[in-house]
Amino acid sequence: MNTSLSWIKAYVPELSCTAQEYTDAMTLSGTKVEGFEKLDRDLDKIVIGQILSIERHPDADKLIVCQVDIGGETVQIVTGAPNVKEGDKVPVVLDGGRVAGNHDGKMTEGGIAIKKGKLRGVESCGMMCSIEELGSTKEMYPEAPEYGIYIFPEDAKVGESAVKALGLDDVIFEYEITSNRVDCYSVLGIAREAAATFGKPFVPPVVKKTGNSENVNDYVKVTVQDPDLCPRYCARVVKNIKIAPSPKWLQRRLAVNGIRPINNVVDITNYVMEEYGQPMHAYDYDMLAGHEIIVRRAAKDETFVTLDGQERRMDDSVLMICDGEKAVGIAGIMGGENSMITDDVKTMMFEAACFDGTNIRLSAKKIGLRTDASGKFEKGLDPNNAQAAIDRACQLIEELGAGEVVGGMVDVYSRKKEPVRIVFEPEKINDLLGTDISREDMLEYFQRVELEYDEAANEIIAPTFRHDLFRTADLAEEVARFYGYDNIPTTLPKGEATTGKLPFYLRVEQTARDIAEYCGFSQGYCYSFESPKVFDKLLIPAEDELRRAVTISNPLGEDFSIMRTISLNGMLTSLAFNYNHRNKNVRLYELGNVYLPKQLPLSELPEERMKLTLGMYGDGDFYVMKGVVEEFFEKAGLHDTVTYDPKAGRPYLHPGRQANIMYGGKLLGYLGELHPQVADNYDIGERVYIAVLDMPSVVEYATFDRKFEGIARFPAVTRDLSMVVPKEILAGDIEAMIAQRGGKYLESCGLFDLYEGKQIGEGYKSMAYSIVFRAKDRTLEEADVAAAMKKILHGLQSMGISLRQ
């Protein structure tokens, strides 16, 4: 949003400040000024001069010598301009002045200095200027000649500033307006904020009643078929149109705001759009079939030619403005070529409407056309502003003699927007801000921005153009920005003391991070969006449930078209990247969600489950990864025995080096070596080890409660067992048997030797365990240990295990 300072001052006449002071004050009061540009920054000592006489240059056919009155003094200027004559009033830059200019196609910083000198031997004491040399263009000043010196009208005063006469003694401010302050997308909205910021009176334009004795309803009929997308539609008719250039003051205001003046009718619609922030459109009344307007949705694949001459294809979500036979405009975006205003127009219809902002934004995107009007509509305009804007436009039509306004207005207003009422609680506002501002001062701040106070109900009434005011916190913000954020003291927060800590599940996840990083793993983040080809790379069968993935409705491409149901692809992609960049030993972990749909197509949100995924290659093997998992279980309080089921049957893992991780009979995850074919699919030339834990299942058993146990006072008794074990029996099964039969004095057992070879029979392996017994209240006797060992040996023998001789 841009505004000129002169336009702001038109509504805040007592405003007096520098551009920098304005920038600082407005930014501190909540209307952020991104920057400003002084239009006359490169212009100096330029006045209006009148050419008294013209003579040919004695030594140059294309140059003339002019005597120019600059106000009480006559100077001689040599020029080659072809369009000047005696009596013309022109801009003259005097000796020592500056004009805008360019060098090699680039604007010259600081302008071009003009000095007295000689042209082909004749003295020249200045220079007459074109509009380009004054830093503007013919587009913004249509009366300027194509080539040559700018000519002022006859009523221009000789000797006065040419820069001021052209409206170039102005400053353009650029604002960053948040989308909830739609009122500030207008000059009036910014002026209201400026008046409130500087404590000056706000003087908006007085809109007078317009129109003849006729009734507009006799001219045009309006039907809104979709009131949800068009809550209000206002229409007025103007006849006896007289197309002509706009007056200079109107052209200047548009030009300094970067809008090219065209003619009085078009300029009025642009002017009101900037002034009120309400886009308007004018239709040629005689080209409206049936002299009626129908607001409806487009038909599927309906085509329409817009004002820019482009044919555009619609769908049934786009709102159209139609007459009795055809579409004449795309609502809120652009009118049609078939009803455009031409120089031959006799009667026209003004439209000021309010459309659904979301629909306008989506429609503009679908048809590939975004305009100034759609940019305003998509933010959600105030429907009560439409009538004020159309009445202002009709007032300007009458004041500029552009036509005769027909009396009355067609107004289709389906859902009237009412002001929001907020209970006024000064104490709460002061508590929020940490201030001690009086009730009267607060009400004075509210009055500045047109917030009314209902004393009987003790409520603040927010006008409908303020879309951002709903609750006490919003009122507190209004108080803070006008009291001054820099004036609010630093205070300590109030409230009861509470114990601050992470939720339990986050503490478990933080423990997982700590253990992984302690074990040398670096954290990574992977995409939640994946390609359906991932399942083939991981050798997942076609009928597997993991292939039932949520499909993205508007994906960036096939590679990001589904939500992941398994966390391995991101981890393996990261490991492959490191491997192909010759990183030798890599350990990565990720804590991220997978998305499991309850049914397809989706009828409710999918289940999101957090997974801890560990991946590594280089130094380390299956048992190193298993040790990392067990270290985490120990820290997370899973003190009972964790078991490993080698019959995991996961196709992406090595068939002989994988296991499901079980705890209390429940599956917590899995670990193993990556299947060689999967490693090849990811271009990884080393053995890769993976572990995946389902964090919600781990959280179910986790605990951070710890019971203190003192240092043992009595000695331990150790017994070693060397056994011949059938190969199919797992170490975990042996340890479970020892724990079951060991009795209350069993403290621990540990495997310290494993051997397979010629000395052991085929189909068998040698395993040696160290078993430790200890009593807490006395020294154990041989009989205590012998009884326990006898039970253990009987249990092992029942499994087909024998002592090694």
Side-chain angles (χ1 to χ4, degrees), residues 213-221 237 285 291 406-407 410:
S213 59
E214 296 178 282
N215 188 345
V216 70
N217 291 287
D218 298 332
Y219 280 78
V220 66
K221 175 186 176 183
V237 173
Y285 175 80
H291 294 162
V406 174
V410 178

Side-chain angles (χ1 to χ4, degrees), residues 207-441:
V207 181
K208 300 175 183 177
K209 184 178 179 181
T210 56
N212 58 22
S213 59
E214 296 178 282
N215 188 345
V216 70
N217 291 287
D218 298 332
Y219 280 78
V220 66
K221 175 186 176 183
V222 176
T223 303
V224 178
Q225 295 183 357
D226 202 328
D228 289 339
L229 299 185
C230 179
R232 190 175 196 186
Y233 191 99
C234 301
R236 298 196 69 176
V237 173
V238 180
K239 63 181 186 177
N240 301 325
I241 298 295
K242 298 174 184 176
I243 299 292
S246 300
K248 289 294 184 289
W249 68 266
L250 181 55
Q251 291 188 29
R252 298 294 183 261
R253 282 191 181 173
L254 292 177
V256 295
N257 267 37
I259 299 174
R260 178 172 63 92
I262 297 174
N263 60 48
N264 49 5
V265 173
V266 176
D267 291 351
I268 285 170
T269 60
N270 287 333
Y271 183 86
V272 172
M273 181 172 73
E274 292 296 307
E275 186 178 45
Y276 278 78
Q278 170 67 51
M280 298 182 60
H281 191 68
Y283 298 95
D284 188 331
Y285 175 80
D286 295 322
M287 298 179 71
L288 297 176
H291 294 162
E292 71 172 317
I293 290 292
I294 301 172
V295 183
R296 62 162 176 82
R297 291 176 183 263
K300 185 174 177 57
D301 293 330
E302 179 177 349
T303 58
F304 180 69
V305 179
T306 47
L307 276 171
D308 56 3
Q310 299 292 315
E311 183 179 83
R312 303 182 187 276
R313 187 173 298 277
M314 316 294 158
D315 64 19
D316 56 7
S317 68
V318 179
L319 195 65
M320 303 297 292
I321 309 296
C322 307
D323 61 17
E325 299 175 353
K326 61 188 180 300
V328 293
I330 305 174
I333 300 176
M334 185 177 281
E337 194 176 47
N338 56 9
S339 63
M340 64 186 295
I341 297 294
T342 66
D343 291 344
D344 299 327
V345 66
K346 302 300 180 186
T347 306
M348 69 177 183
M349 189 200 80
F350 265 140
E351 165 196 285
C354 184
F355 302 111
D356 178 73
T358 302
N359 178 263
I360 296 298
R361 177 177 58 82
L362 294 175
S363 297
K365 184 177 181 180
K366 285 176 183 175
I367 65 177
L369 178 63
R370 193 171 187 272
T371 61
D372 288 342
S374 68
K376 293 183 185 294
F377 276 121
E378 67 188 23
K379 295 174 176 63
L381 299 183
D382 175 18
N384 294 328
N385 192 40
Q387 181 175 353
I390 202 169
D391 288 345
R392 172 64 166 161
C394 290
Q395 178 187 13
L396 291 172
I397 287 285
E398 288 193 350
E399 289 180 356
L400 303 184
E404 180 185 352
V405 180
V406 174
M409 177 182 74
V410 178
D411 188 7
V412 181
Y413 198 174
S414 58
R415 299 193 313 271
K416 185 173 177 59
K417 185 174 182 180
E418 300 293 345
V420 174
R421 303 176 75 94
I422 308 167
V423 177
F424 181 41
E425 300 173 294
E427 299 80 9
K428 281 191 176 180
I429 293 174
N430 277 322
D431 286 344
L432 276 172
L433 300 179
T435 55
D436 188 22
I437 303 172
S438 69
R439 177 190 185 91
E440 292 72 23
D441 286 345

Side-chain angles (χ1 to χ4, degrees), residues 694-716:
D694 182 59
M695 292 304 292
S697 299
V698 174
V699 170
E700 184 179 338
Y701 296 104
T703 177
F704 292 106
D705 295 337
R706 298 291 185 267
K707 185 177 180 181
F708 173 77
E709 293 186 4
I711 299 173
R713 297 170 55 195
F714 300 96

Side-chain angles (χ1 to χ4, degrees), residues 446-484:
F446 297 151
Q447 187 180 10
R448 292 187 192 181
V449 286
E450 302 182 17
L451 303 184
E452 299 178 6
Y453 175 54
D454 183 344
E455 189 171 359
N458 190 35
E459 292 176 332
I460 300 297
I461 304 173
T464 54
F465 61 76
R466 287 299 299 270
H467 291 192
D468 60 319
L469 301 181
F470 296 100
R471 53 189 69 84
T472 299
D474 300 328
L475 295 181
E477 183 180 9
E478 295 299 296
V479 171
R481 66 194 188 98
F482 292 120
Y483 177 72

Side-chain angles (χ1 to χ4, degrees), residues 528-765:
S528 296
F529 299 163
E530 291 186 334
S531 168
K533 298 176 183 177
V534 165
F535 303 124
D536 294 332
K537 292 179 72 174
L538 292 173
L539 308 182
I540 294 174
E543 68 280 1
D544 197 289
E545 280 292 306
L546 291 174
R547 287 183 178 264
R548 297 180 67 250
V550 178
T551 302
I552 308 301
S553 59
N554 56 340
L556 297 175
E558 186 184 10
D559 289 345
F560 302 95
S561 60
I562 62 169
M563 303 291 288
R564 67 178 181 176
T565 58
I566 185 170
S567 61
L568 287 186
N569 177 66
M571 176 59 67
L572 295 178
T573 301
S574 298
L575 291 173
F577 180 86
N578 280 273
Y579 177 79
N580 289 305
H581 283 73
R582 300 185 180 181
N583 292 329
K584 293 184 178 180
N585 299 297
V586 176
R587 295 187 178 191
L588 299 176
Y589 80 93
E590 182 202 12
L591 274 166
N593 286 331
V594 296
Y595 304 86
L596 308 176
K598 298 172 185 176
Q599 64 180 34
L600 291 175
L602 285 178
S603 59
E604 57 182 314
L605 292 175
E607 181 184 9
E608 299 183 23
R609 295 194 72 85
M610 178 66 67
K611 301 288 185 179
L612 170 63
T613 307
L614 301 162
M616 69 178 187
Y617 68 80
D619 293 342
D621 56 17
F622 180 94
Y623 298 104
V624 170
M625 182 65 82
K626 180 171 175 282
V628 175
V629 171
E630 292 180 343
E631 182 75 17
F632 166 56
F633 285 162
E634 174 66 25
K635 293 295 182 183
L638 280 72
H639 299 305
D640 293 340
T641 303
V642 176
T643 60
Y644 298 88
D645 179 7
K647 299 178 182 179
R650 300 184 183 271
Y652 37 83
L653 296 180
H654 193 293
R657 299 166 189 164
Q658 59 172 288
N660 282 336
I661 303 171
M662 312 296 294
Y663 186 85
K666 183 169 183 178
L667 177 66
L668 298 189
Y670 56 88
L671 80 160
E673 181 184 328
L674 192 66
H675 195 290
Q677 185 177 337
V678 176
D680 287 343
N681 291 342
Y682 283 90
D683 294 327
I684 306 176
E686 290 201 34
R687 290 186 175 184
V688 177
Y689 298 95
I690 293 292
V692 178
L693 296 178
D694 182 59
M695 292 304 292
S697 299
V698 174
V699 170
E700 184 179 338
Y701 296 104
T703 177
F704 292 106
D705 295 337
R706 298 291 185 267
K707 185 177 180 181
F708 173 77
E709 293 186 4
I711 299 173
R713 297 170 55 195
F714 300 96
V717 177
T718 302
R719 294 288 185 269
D720 291 344
L721 282 179
S722 181
M723 304 169 286
V724 177
V725 182
K727 278 190 175 182
E728 63 272 12
I729 296 178
L730 303 176
D733 297 335
I734 296 173
E735 291 169 6
M737 179 60 72
I738 294 173
Q740 178 186 350
R741 298 294 184 98
K744 63 179 180 179
Y745 300 127
L746 177 67
E747 183 176 84
S748 65
C749 68
L751 178 68
F752 68 86
D753 185 62
L754 175 64
Y755 174 75
E756 294 182 34
K758 294 180 179 179
Q759 293 85 349
I760 308 298
E762 186 176 349
Y764 289 87
K765 56 188 174 183

